Amino acid sequence: MNKKIGLIVGSLRKGSWNRKVAKVVQGLFPEGYDAEFIEIGDLPLFNEDFERENREPESYGVFRKQIGEADGFIFFTPEYNRSLPPAIKNAVDVGSRPVGKNQWDGKPAAVVSASIGGFGGMEANFALRQNFIYTNMILLQQPEVYLSNVMNLFDDDGNMVQDTKDFLQKFVDAFVEHVERF
């Protein structure tokens, strides 16, 4: 049975650089792995009243089922105001609830950040990693992936430049090794 890897993109923008990077990463997995996007754009903001009043949005259940069926996750995040975007934080929160039914618990994860700026979304990357402590995702520590000036990493035809693609292949290989530990 193939391992399922959930790809979660924190930018909801149509032309998202992080989605473009995620599509490249999706194609780098070996046989025996299915890397699939798990969409987060339709998740209403987490509100504990939904749980208390037993009226959670249907999208919460669909999302939790998808992450529950995944064997690991790669998060792709831009940096907004020196931190992570609200959509990706909301997704982490929704997946961790209700208390005692954390769908992230004990699963391998990794973070890739890409930015048009010079630091490659490093602060967003770190901020997202902090969330994994409480949710008990087991984070791949190395190699770290911060893609700065991401707009220069694709040619005019939309193809990623080879040296960056080679680096991402090493990252995917390390992530696969990480997942295999479980």
Side-chain angles (χ1 to χ4, degrees), residues 5 22 33 47 51 56 79 83 87 115 123 173:
I5 304 302
Y33 277 79
N47 181 339
E51 284 177 28
E56 288 191 319
E79 185 170 294
S83 193
S115 170
E123 291 189 53
D173 293 346

Side-chain angles (χ1 to χ4, degrees), residues 9-21 23 37 39 41 80:
V9 179
S11 173
L12 305 181
R13 192 172 61 83
K14 281 184 203 174
S16 164
W17 290 109
N18 278 274
R19 184 166 295 275
K20 290 177 184 180
V21 170
K23 285 180 181 178
F37 284 88
E39 300 300 336
Y80 292 175

Side-chain angles (χ1 to χ4, degrees), residues 102-175:
N102 174 10
Q103 295 299 304
W104 308 112
D105 190 28
K107 293 188 178 183
V111 179
V112 171
S113 55
S115 170
I116 60 172
F119 296 106
M122 185 180 357
E123 291 189 53
N125 193 307
F126 289 164
L128 184 53
R129 288 168 176 256
Q130 289 176 324
N131 288 270
F132 296 167
I133 297 167
Y134 182 78
T135 58
N136 198 34
M137 282 185 263
I138 312 302
L139 187 63
L140 174 68
Q141 299 295 335
Q142 296 292 328
E144 296 174 295
V145 182
Y146 313 106
L147 301 176
S148 59
N149 301 305
V150 68
M151 66 285 191
N152 297 327
L153 301 179
F154 291 87
D155 65 21
D156 292 338
D157 295 324
N159 299 308
M160 181 172 273
V161 298
Q162 193 60 48
D163 62 337
T164 303
K165 193 172 180 179
D166 292 344
F167 170 69
L168 288 175
Q169 184 64 68
K170 290 177 185 174
F171 162 75
V172 169
D173 293 346
F175 183 70

Side-chain angles (χ1 to χ4, degrees), residues 55-98:
R55 59 177 183 90
E56 288 191 319
E58 185 178 329
S59 61
Y60 281 19
V62 171
F63 177 71
R64 289 175 181 149
K65 184 177 186 303
Q66 287 177 307
I67 62 176
E69 293 173 348
D71 297 300
F73 308 96
I74 301 178
F75 293 81
F76 298 83
T77 185
E79 185 170 294
Y80 292 175
N81 300 319
R82 301 279 188 242
S83 193
L84 67 159
I88 206 164
K89 172 65 167 105
N90 187 54
V92 171
D93 292 345
V94 169
S96 71
R97 299 296 296 216

